Structures are given as structure tokens and as C-alpha cells.
Amino acid sequence: MKSTRETVFGFTTDTTLDFYVRSTGEYLLSPPDREAVRVVDFAEIFWCISGRGIFRDAGKEFILRPGYVWYYPPKSLHDFRPGDEKFHYCWVTVAGKSAAILFDGMAIHPGINYAGGCPLHLFKTIATSLYSKSLHEKMHALSAAFEILSLVSSGRYHYTQRGGIAEEAKKIIDDHFTDPELNVEKISAMLNIHRGSLSRAFSRGCGVTLNRYLAMCRLDYSQSLLRKTDLPVHTVAKMSGFNSHEYFSRIFTDTSGMSPSEFRKLNGRK
């Protein structure tokens, strides 16, 4: 599928307001298409509708999923691309000398913020208003932008109560447990949440600790490889996401009561 874009620009500069809506749009990006990497002087949010967006910040990659918003403050390096599937999202930019203060005051922090379903009608309201150059329509666009930012702001403080963080963390583990670098620290960074808050939310939402769930995913996969293949045990350990053969053998034995080699023999493999 080709990428499609719908963009509306309003006033690119406006010295009469401390902050104003500069532009908005709705994009559908399909790999390998991506936006140019650049530094901009305005604030921008990206609200994921479907698919996944991969955002880079400070050398790390973060996954933006449906229901989540990414915020780039002014002077940020914009570096993002679609995931393995098409990335459908709405965006809006806010410019002016106090744009960053507006986001800070509404407790919208750089990076990922939970917000729920994308309010497409509000983005369309902004787009319609930006076609006009009148002050009335300019303020109408700003009013709709305030509604959008209010949804982002309020969602940030309630998502753990809805189980959203636990579900997102579980999804990340289910998709990437074979990555040996995946751990509590990396997942908490991807979701822009303190590791302690993440651990508590995961335990409440899933009934098991995050570390335990991650280990069980890796162990289950390793057992499948031991049953179905003749791969060396050290290769099975690596493919299952374990950093070392020794640690894998120890945790496997502690959990199953037998070594990986004994488990393989029990299941008819040499």
C-alpha cells in the first residue's frame, strides 16, 4: 500500500499569539516510506490510529501503538518511521514562543502518552478552520487543539487504572521476548513509565510479575525448540532470548526439575 498524506497549514508564523495551531494532517505511512529526519522549532503530537510507529529519541527506539500519542517539544529531532505494517496517525503542530509552556502546563511530557481512541473529528475541525485566515477560525482551531491536548493530558493519569500499561507491556513481551536485551528497564523506557510503576501495574493486571512472565515466555519457547529441533542447547538458549547458556540451564532446571538435555531426551530427541 502506498503512503497517503492529507496536510493543512495555517499561519506558519503569528506574532500576535504566544501559541497557535500551525498545521495538522492525517497520514498513512507504509514501509519503507518514512518522514525526513529533522529538527523543528514547533511542538508536535502524533496520535496513532492503527499500525505501529517507531520513534527514536536519545539513541533509543520506542513503539507507538493505537491509543497512544507521541509528543515532540520544540527544538526536538524528529526521527520516526512506520513499523512492519502501515502506520496510520493524525498529527497537529503548535508554534509560538510559549508552545512548550502550554504542553508542560498540561502535564504532557515528551515521548509516549496514553490517550485512548483518536478523536478524528477534532483533527478535522482544526483542518477546516485552518483553511480560513480569519482570527475567529484561528481561535476555533486553537479551541479544538485544546480539546485534543486535554484528552492526552487526562489519559496520562488514568491509563494504569484501565490496565492499558499491563496490556502494552505484555504485548511487547509476546512480540519481542527472544530479544536478549529486553528487560524491565527497556520496556519501561519504551512505554515512558518508571520501572517501579510498570512492575506494579503489570503484577496487578496480569497476576504475575513482569520478570516471571518474560522468563516463562522464553522457557516455553525453549521447550518447543528442544522438542522439535536438534539445535545445540546453547543455540536454543540464544534463540529463546537468554544471554548465557549457563543461566538458561540453571533456570530451566529450577523450573522443570530437569536439565535441557534431559528434557530433550524425555521428548524423544538426542
Side-chain angles (χ1 to χ4, degrees):
M1 179 180 294
K2 294 183 178 179
S3 299
T4 59
R5 297 172 172 81
E6 178 182 341
T7 304
V8 179
F9 284 90
F11 292 82
T12 55
T13 58
D14 190 332
T15 58
T16 64
L17 297 173
D18 285 347
F19 48 80
Y20 58 93
V21 180
R22 176 183 177 275
S23 57
T24 191
E26 180 180 352
Y27 278 14
L28 180 63
L29 286 181
S30 297
D33 289 356
R34 60 169 300 155
E35 294 301 296
V37 178
R38 58 185 181 140
V39 175
V40 301
D41 59 359
F42 47 78
E44 184 168 9
I45 64 168
F46 302 79
W47 197 313
C48 182
I49 300 172
S50 63
R52 300 180 188 180
I54 309 298
F55 286 73
R56 288 186 59 85
D57 183 54
K60 298 180 180 179
E61 289 193 343
F62 304 86
I63 301 174
L64 190 69
R65 302 176 187 274
Y68 287 82
V69 170
W70 182 274
Y71 166 46
Y72 273 130
K75 308 300 182 183
S76 295
L77 175 66
H78 288 215
D79 185 358
F80 66 97
R81 69 182 192 278
D84 295 335
E85 53 192 306
K86 56 185 179 293
F87 176 35
H88 186 193
Y89 64 95
C90 284
W91 57 271
V92 63
T93 65
V94 177
K97 62 183 180 181
S98 297
I101 296 175
L102 170 64
F103 284 80
D104 290 344
M106 299 186 75
I108 301 173
H109 303 295
I112 295 176
N113 299 261
Y114 177 80
C118 180
L120 282 166
H121 66 288
L122 292 176
F123 285 94
K124 292 185 182 299
T125 295
I126 294 175
T128 300
S129 298
L130 290 183
Y131 279 118
S132 172
K133 301 300 182 181
S134 71
L135 177 61
H136 173 76
E137 290 300 324
K138 187 189 308 182
M139 299 310 294
H140 194 200
L142 190 57
S143 175
F146 269 121
E147 287 192 61
I148 290 172
L149 298 185
S150 295
L151 291 171
V152 178
S153 178
S154 61
R156 183 173 180 81
Y157 292 101
H158 298 294
Y159 64 152
T160 55
Q161 297 176 17
R162 301 172 194 169
I165 278 294
E167 293 172 3
E168 287 299 304
K170 183 176 181 297
K171 176 64 174 174
I172 290 172
I173 293 172
D174 290 343
D175 290 346
H176 303 289
F177 66 84
T178 56
D179 176 5
E181 301 300 319
L182 190 69
N183 54 26
V184 175
E185 287 78 11
K186 184 170 183 176
I187 296 172
S188 63
M190 293 170 72
L191 295 176
N192 195 30
I193 185 174
H194 188 273
R195 58 167 293 168
S197 299
L198 171 61
S199 295
R200 289 190 292 273
F202 194 93
S203 295
R204 287 195 304 266
C206 299
V208 65
T209 66
L210 188 151
N211 281 329
R212 178 64 176 171
Y213 183 76
L214 176 57
M216 292 309 299
C217 286
R218 288 169 171 165
L219 285 170
D220 287 346
Y221 186 62
S222 72
Q223 289 183 354
S224 176
L225 292 177
L226 290 169
R227 282 194 301 265
K228 299 176 181 179
T229 75
D230 295 319
L231 293 169
V233 172
H234 66 85
T235 302
V236 169
K238 184 177 181 180
M239 291 179 63
S240 301
F242 290 95
N243 277 310
S244 74
H245 174 207
E246 293 76 18
Y247 175 70
F248 165 63
S249 295
R250 184 171 69 252
I251 192 173
F252 191 100
T253 302
D254 290 345
T255 302
S256 66
M258 64 185 77
S259 69
S261 297
E262 290 170 337
F263 177 88
R264 169 169 274 168
K265 290 179 181 178
L266 186 65
N267 285 271
R269 291 280 179 178
K270 296 181 179 181

